Amino acid sequence: MNTPVCVRFAPSPTGPLHLGGVRTALYNYLFAKKHGGQFMLRIEDTDQTRFVPGAEQYIMESLRWCGLQWDEGPEAEGQKGPYRQSERKPMYRQYAEQLIQSGKAYYAFDTAEELDEVRERMKASGNNAWQYNSITRVNMKNSLTLPSDEVQRRLDSGEPYVIRLLVPRNTEIKVNDLIRGVVVVKSEHIDDKVLFKSDGMPTYHLANVVDDHLMGITHVIRGEEWLPSAPLHVLLYASFGWTDTMPKFAHLPLILKPDGNGKLSKRDGDRLGFPVFPLEWKDPVSGEISSGYREGGWYKEAVVNLVALLGWHPSDNQEVFSLEELIEAFSLEKVAKAGAKFDVEKARWFNQHYLRQQTDADLLRDLKPHFQSLNASEEGLLKTIALVRDRAVFPADVVQDVNGLLQAPNAYQKEAVESKWKVDSGEKIEALGAWLSGQTDSRAEFIGTAIKSWLAEKNWGIGSVMPLVRIALTGGLTGPDIFETIALLGLEESRKRIEAFHRQMQK
Ligand code: GLU
């Protein structure tokens, strides 16, 4: 019988979740749901020096916002807890000792100063990459080189030590990655990693492997930055004798800058105006605020959709996926090996798509508090929303355009005026204002045709008048169809705004 799928997202609470972390969580979630398995959340907080207050809450809130609820983890207790490595601390020592007993690990007593000294000495003789490994360990202070009674004495006297993995010599370690295929590494290239520290804390590698084993993880799906650690993890499984139940590995490609030149960073986001974090994050030390998708008016459906397609695509051309559709379509086989470029325009396209899924009434309900015209009727607001929404990418665009229409402009964009105002402009808009006061039918189609034939009669080009009308009505040169705008505002209000603009330009 096949073991049921069980995967985990295992962030370290060292800061906010980056888009890459969101994608790792998402792929784990999709994979679990696709296979009717379990999606766990485990907090890897063994490294207390890198602990950042608020990061764990932030991670959980981000996952929840994206709709990625974990089946087991903090705040969702189940069979396999606790879910924070700091709370699992008492479990790890026995595993480190098990390795010592079976001759797969050893005690090392070298102090930090001694290690620095060796490194310095090696550097001086041209070796910049000294490592504690299967060759150098014979010259160091450890339970392989010291007599056993001395080792015991040192341990009994409470001397600080670490437990290191005894990496075998002349062995090939094979990592079978579901995305990358087989990667073979010679054991000479792996150093004798510290597994356990004398302060009683395991290192990341030991805790990660022990927890994956104890929690029955069947697939480790994580970012490419962990690929170099995979051979060590495979070796650890072998050292414990857990090879039969070792999880399968899948390392996800990097998320790249829009130009493909390196890893996507927060700086790229700042430069190009898009967030790299799901939620706004306030750095607890510097107080610096980084923007988040949620606060920036992005739809979570858009974020999930765009993140899903960073490195994965099913064979057909479908681009818009709900979370359910993603679950249905997802497979690790279709995850690319090559890095995925973040495409800002595409991201905006997704948000626009999801904004368009909202009805006018949805938008009114969500945005009402932001509309400034207090006396506009519900019907008026709905009409205005309907008129402006097509151009909007974000809800804030709708708000801005609605407010821009509902209120007479109190200023006119300087560049707009400068580019459109000519010597005869005053005469033209004054005449148009007067003409409007004699009109009675404000329907867009009618008023459009009527204005055009009036202009033709006068022999005035549309382009010499209508941009001025737009400035008069909205303050600037952008906005929805101008005749629709006149229809929405009504003939009386439109005329007033045109006259106000004219007066302003006479000054
Ligand atoms: N704690 C690691 C991280 O922060 C997890 C690596 C893994 O998934 O094995 O990414």
Side-chain angles (χ1 to χ4, degrees):
M1 206 189 79
N2 278 344
T3 333
V5 162
C6 181
V7 294
R8 75 332 188 246
F9 178 52
S12 301
T14 53
L17 208 54
H18 185 269
L19 273 187
V22 176
R23 187 193 55 181
T24 301
L26 174 63
Y27 285 10
N28 273 285
Y29 175 89
L30 297 176
F31 187 76
K33 299 297 152 187
K34 166 100 190 188
H35 296 282
Q38 209 188 15
F39 170 57
M40 319 230 336
L41 175 62
R42 183 174 77 223
I43 304 295
E44 302 212 319
D45 57 352
T46 50
D47 189 351
Q48 295 295 329
T49 57
R50 295 180 59 220
F51 178 81
V52 173
E56 179 185 313
Q57 264 330 105
Y58 177 97
I59 291 167
M60 295 203 281
E61 205 180 324
S62 302
L63 296 182
R64 289 197 177 112
W65 181 65
C66 294
L68 309 178
Q69 179 57 52
W70 49 102
D71 301 307
E72 267 192 53
E75 299 177 8
E77 305 294 322
Q79 308 290 309
K80 297 174 176 172
Y83 306 95
R84 290 182 191 92
Q85 289 184 329
S86 54
E87 290 168 13
R88 301 172 66 80
K89 185 178 157 188
M91 299 185 191
Y92 301 113
R93 179 183 290 274
Q94 66 192 69
Y95 290 98
E97 276 166 5
Q98 177 188 327
L99 291 182
I100 297 237
Q101 247 93 70
S102 60
K104 308 282 188 195
Y106 59 92
Y107 295 110
F109 299 98
D110 319 85
T111 63
E113 294 75 39
E114 286 166 342
L115 291 171
D116 281 348
E117 197 198 299
V118 181
R119 261 185 222 109
E120 285 308 315
R121 211 167 354 104
M122 289 297 144
K123 225 190 223 164
S125 62
N127 175 358
N128 281 328
W130 181 84
Q131 286 192 321
Y132 207 117
N133 61 20
S134 60
I135 296 166
T136 60
R137 66 188 171 218
V138 295
N139 298 318
M140 304 302 292
K141 236 182 258 170
N142 53 49
S143 56
L144 306 171
T145 57
L146 298 170
S148 57
D149 53 344
E150 187 180 342
V151 170
Q152 200 52 51
R153 187 188 56 69
R154 286 175 183 251
L155 292 176
D156 293 345
S157 69
E159 192 172 309
Y161 65 86
V162 297
I163 296 178
R164 287 184 181 270
L165 181 67
L166 189 130
V167 175
R169 297 197 62 170
N170 304 324
T171 308
E172 284 195 333
I173 296 147
K174 221 190 316 169
V175 180
N176 195 350
D177 188 276
L178 294 174
I179 295 167
R180 271 141 227 283
V182 179
V183 183
V184 180
V185 179
K186 292 204 170 94
S187 63
E188 283 80 274
H189 294 125
I190 303 179
D191 58 334
D192 286 5
K193 280 270 177 327
V194 173
L195 301 178
F196 200 79
K197 295 171 284 180
S198 50
D199 63 0
M201 275 308 233
T203 57
Y204 155 72
H205 301 290
L206 179 74
N208 182 272
V209 164
V210 166
D211 285 345
D212 282 347
H213 173 73
L214 294 178
M215 292 178 167
I217 300 301
T218 57
H219 297 75
V220 167
I221 303 168
R222 61 186 173 189
E224 187 177 281
E225 65 275 24
W226 296 103
L227 189 59
S229 302
L232 174 76
H233 295 179
V234 169
L235 189 58
L236 268 169
Y237 281 99
S239 306
F240 279 118
W242 297 337
T243 305
D244 287 351
T245 54
M246 184 172 76
K248 294 192 163 63
F249 292 97
H251 289 91
L252 308 176
L254 292 177
I255 299 181
L256 304 176
K257 296 177 195 297
D259 63 7
N261 223 337
K263 224 169 119 175
L264 180 76
S265 70
K266 187 169 113 52
R267 226 174 315 130
D268 302 312
D270 293 343
R271 188 167 50 89
L272 299 166
F274 67 91
V276 298
F277 302 132
L279 317 179
E280 191 172 274
W281 167 256
K282 182 170 180 205
D283 187 282
V285 179
S286 67
E288 188 201 345
I289 295 191
S290 304
S291 61
Y293 280 89
R294 182 179 63 184
E295 292 75 10
W298 292 74
Y299 289 98
K300 58 175 190 256
E301 293 83 359
V303 174
V304 166
N305 199 151
L306 75 94
V307 166
L309 296 182
L310 287 170
W312 167 83
H313 205 281
S315 11
D316 60 18
N317 288 329
Q318 187 178 348
E319 301 228 76
V320 173
F321 291 88
S322 65
L323 194 54
E324 288 67 39
E325 288 170 322
L326 286 173
I327 294 171
E328 181 63 32
F330 189 75
S331 75
L332 286 172
E333 288 76 47
K334 298 274 185 210
V335 174
K337 287 195 197 61
K341 279 189 223 166
F342 186 88
D343 180 340
V344 188
E345 276 318 305
K346 196 61 186 280
R348 291 165 57 84
W349 179 86
F350 275 116
N351 210 57
Q352 182 163 51
H353 171 84
Y354 284 96
L355 187 140
R356 287 180 177 173
Q357 305 296 299
Q358 307 277 311
T359 64
D360 296 343
D362 292 337
L363 289 169
L364 178 59
R365 180 200 58 222
D366 295 344
L367 304 177
K368 205 164 181 184
H370 305 287
F371 294 139
Q372 282 158 4
S373 176
L374 298 173
N375 48 16
S377 68
E378 190 117 314
E379 199 200 338
L381 285 171
L382 282 171
K383 270 201 205 154
T384 317
I385 288 171
L387 183 58
V388 304
R389 57 173 301 158
D390 264 4
R391 299 169 356 108
V393 172
F394 298 101
D397 300 336
V398 177
V399 171
Q400 194 186 5
D401 285 359
V402 167
N403 285 337
L405 283 180
L406 291 180
Q407 292 179 321
N410 49 19
Y412 305 99
Q413 267 173 31
K414 205 161 157 270
E415 313 81 78
V417 175
E418 277 170 6
S419 70
K420 299 294 173 189
W421 190 265
K422 302 282 157 2
V423 273
D424 57 354
S425 293
E427 176 201 346
K428 289 176 177 176
I429 56 163
E430 188 178 21
L432 179 66
W435 176 81
L436 268 182
S437 62
Q439 298 301 309
T440 49
D441 192 336
S442 70
R443 284 170 305 165
E445 234 172 276
F446 178 85
I447 200 75
T449 317
I451 290 181
K452 280 180 204 155
S453 51
W454 177 75
L455 285 172
E457 246 168 60
K458 296 247 170 210
N459 218 358
W460 288 342
I462 296 187
S464 74
V465 179
M466 295 322 285
L468 298 171
V469 174
R470 193 184 280 286
I471 297 173
L473 300 186
T474 69
L477 281 173
T478 54
D481 180 82
I482 190 65
F483 303 119
E484 295 282 358
T485 306
I486 295 174
L488 178 85
L489 295 175
L491 296 172
E492 178 62 11
E493 176 66 18
S494 301
R495 187 184 54 77
K496 274 198 204 151
R497 291 190 188 185
I498 289 170
E499 281 171 5
F501 178 50
H502 183 232
R503 269 199 306 280
Q504 176 68 28
M505 295 305 291
Q506 299 307 104
K507 282 184 189 163

